[in-house]
């Protein structure tokens, strides 16, 4: 069935949006750096994976857009901890500690960023153990790194044909305007935030979830595309099945960065149990798509289906460049 004009236009707008196109930067690093022989993680995963006795150490790093840090420095500091924690959770791990790197023209300008990091560290119970500080920079800049540990790893490379795509998002809260950041964390108690840290590791340890990613700056569509390309599969997303807050425009929701949001690829027989695990914690979760043969990400509603991206024709993560380097 041909897509209706509104769906075609939404797909065109999403493909051209900066939050989707920004992920193309990953391809440049992938082509240059390739794959480290010391790491089991691969470009396209949310963390580096380092085998150790009793499981795997996980390491991740996030840098933040300068405009965001300038516009909302306290929340940028909070996010430096929060989004790194999401990377660890997305791979079935438990976060252990965070370090930061901050550049600022003065201690006064650095203070709200550091205060936001401290508040998030206390709320999630993940300590900040060090970092780098420069108070003589010409502008405010921020990055942070995190160390975690997993007994069983959830990977971007493990989605299988016949799997069901599950979207799990905390819908409580609102946008932190003017950016497309859906903030549910600041309206959630620290006790609940800490309990929610156990959902993904527990699912990994039961064996019900082996593939997935956290919904990042590219939103639902960008994250689904990265998952599809890493696993060399196609994904069809049923738009009307997606968990979505009331009153939020679909196009904005598809590119939004939620404070707690994950896409998981699971066996059909496990889908209900996986959704119930999230729902028991007050997280909205639903089966919203299918993992198929091919290389396309398609968006489907009751009136038709539209091709969002075909990574075989137009690479997103450019994983073939990495593979060529190590052939």
């Amino acid at each position: 069935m041909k897509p209706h004009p509104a769906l075609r236009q939404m797909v065109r707008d999403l493909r051209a949006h900066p939050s989707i196109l920004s992920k193309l930067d990953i391809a440049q690093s992938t082509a240059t750096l390739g794959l480290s022989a010391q790491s089991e993680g691969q470009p396209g995963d949310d963390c580096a994976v380092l085998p150790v006795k009793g499981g795997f150490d996980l390491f991740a790093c996030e840098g933040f857009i300068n405009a965001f840090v300038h516009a909302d420095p306290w929340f940028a500091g909070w996010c430096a901890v929060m989004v790194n924690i999401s990377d660890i959770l997305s791979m079935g791990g438990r976060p252990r500690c965070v370090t930061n790197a901050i550049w600022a023209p003065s201690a006064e300008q650095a203070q709200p960023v550091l205060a936001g990091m401290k508040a998030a560290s206390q709320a999630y119970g993940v300590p900040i153990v060090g970092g780098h500080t420069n108070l003589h920079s010409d502008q405010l800049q921020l990055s942070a790194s995190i160390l975690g540990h997993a007994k069983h790893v959830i990977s971007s490379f493990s989605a299988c044909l016949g799997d069901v795509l599950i979207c799990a998002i905390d819908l409580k809260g609102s946008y932190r305007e003017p950016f497309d950041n859906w903030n549910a964390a600041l309206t959630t108690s620290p006790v609940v935030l800490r309990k929610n840290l156990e959902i993904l590791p527990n699912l990994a340890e039961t064996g019900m979830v082996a593939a997935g990613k956290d919904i990042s700056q590219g939103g639902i569509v960008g994250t689904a595309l990265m998952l599809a390309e890493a696993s060399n599969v196609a994904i069809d997303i049923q738009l009307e099945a997606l968990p979505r807050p009331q009153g939020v425009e679909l196009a904005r929701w598809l590119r939004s960065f939620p404070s707690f949001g994950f896409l998981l690829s699971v066996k059909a027989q496990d889908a209900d149990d996986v959704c119930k695990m999230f729902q028991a914690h007050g997280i909205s979760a639903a089966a919203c798509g299918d993992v198929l043969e091919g290389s396309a990400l398609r968006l489907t509603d009751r009136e038709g289906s539209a091709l969002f991206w075909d990574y075989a024709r137009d690479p997103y993560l450019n994983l073939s460049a990495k593979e060529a380097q190590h052939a």
Side-chain angles (χ1 to χ4, degrees):
M1 186 187 305
K2 290 184 178 180
H4 53 85
L7 181 57
R8 289 200 302 268
Q9 184 61 52
M10 183 179 71
V11 165
R12 286 194 291 268
D13 292 345
L14 284 170
R15 279 186 60 97
H17 196 273
S19 65
I20 306 298
L21 296 179
S22 68
K23 291 296 184 179
L24 290 169
D25 293 352
I26 298 172
Q28 302 303 316
S29 296
T30 300
T32 303
L33 297 176
L35 175 63
S36 168
Q38 285 74 44
S39 172
E40 300 251 335
Q42 305 182 62
D45 260 333
D46 292 307
C47 301
V49 182
L50 306 172
V52 295
K53 185 177 181 180
F56 305 88
D57 282 341
L58 304 175
F59 180 76
C61 178
E62 295 281 353
F64 294 84
I65 298 169
N66 288 347
F68 171 51
V69 181
H70 280 272
D72 201 347
W74 186 93
F75 189 56
W78 175 283
C79 288
V81 174
M82 180 181 71
V83 301
N84 269 299
I85 288 174
S86 289
D87 282 340
I88 297 296
L89 299 182
S90 73
M91 297 197 67
R94 293 177 174 86
R96 294 178 58 189
C97 58
V98 173
T99 62
N100 71 336
I102 184 170
W103 298 259
S106 66
E108 182 181 10
Q109 292 187 51
Q111 192 278 332
V113 178
L114 295 173
M117 289 196 71
K118 181 179 179 180
S121 169
Q122 292 174 337
Y124 286 100
V126 179
I128 299 170
V129 297
H132 167 82
T133 302
N134 182 325
L135 300 180
H136 304 280
S137 174
D138 59 356
Q139 61 180 321
L140 193 59
Q141 298 180 83
L142 175 66
S143 70
S145 300
I146 192 167
L147 182 68
H149 182 80
K151 295 179 182 177
H152 298 276
V153 168
I154 297 171
S155 173
S156 302
F157 292 78
S158 298
C160 297
L161 300 182
D163 279 1
V164 172
L165 186 73
I166 288 176
C167 180
I169 302 181
D170 190 346
L171 300 183
K172 300 181 290 294
S174 60
Y175 280 110
R176 185 87 172 190
E177 302 288 359
F179 300 98
D180 291 330
N181 298 319
W182 182 260
N183 170 32
L186 293 179
T187 57
T188 301
S189 73
V191 172
V192 174
L193 289 176
R194 296 183 188 194
K195 286 182 178 179
N196 290 347
L197 300 184
E198 290 296 316
I199 303 173
L200 272 298
N202 286 340
L203 285 170
E205 288 159 19
T206 64
M208 287 192 291
V209 176
K213 295 185 72 66
D214 71 322
I215 300 172
S216 62
Q217 189 67 46
I220 291 170
V221 288
T223 301
L225 178 56
M226 290 188 286
L227 177 61
E229 185 174 2
S231 293
N232 195 29
V233 295
I235 293 178
D236 187 342
I237 296 178
Q238 281 84 53
L239 297 174
E240 288 153 347
L242 287 170
R244 177 164 50 123
Q246 288 188 345
V248 173
E249 179 191 17
L250 179 59
R252 188 181 193 188
W253 187 240
L254 290 173
R255 65 176 189 259
S256 293
F257 192 165
S259 59
F260 186 98
F262 300 87
L263 292 180
L264 307 172
S265 180
V266 306
K267 302 303 179 189
Q269 64 266 27
D270 294 326
D272 286 345
D273 288 338
V274 170
C275 289
K276 288 176 182 176
M277 179 80 81
F278 286 102
Q279 293 160 0
H281 287 74
I283 306 297
S284 297
C288 62
D290 298 299
V291 178
L292 308 167
E293 187 173 0
S295 56
L297 176 64
R298 302 189 69 87
L299 307 182
T300 299
D301 62 17
R302 294 176 185 175
E303 300 183 47
S305 179
L307 173 66
F308 173 70
W309 203 293
D310 186 335
Y311 61 81
R313 296 201 312 253
D314 190 9
Y316 195 53
L317 296 176
N318 199 26
L319 296 175
S320 61
K322 180 263 294 181
E323 291 164 1
Q325 280 192 341
H326 297 274

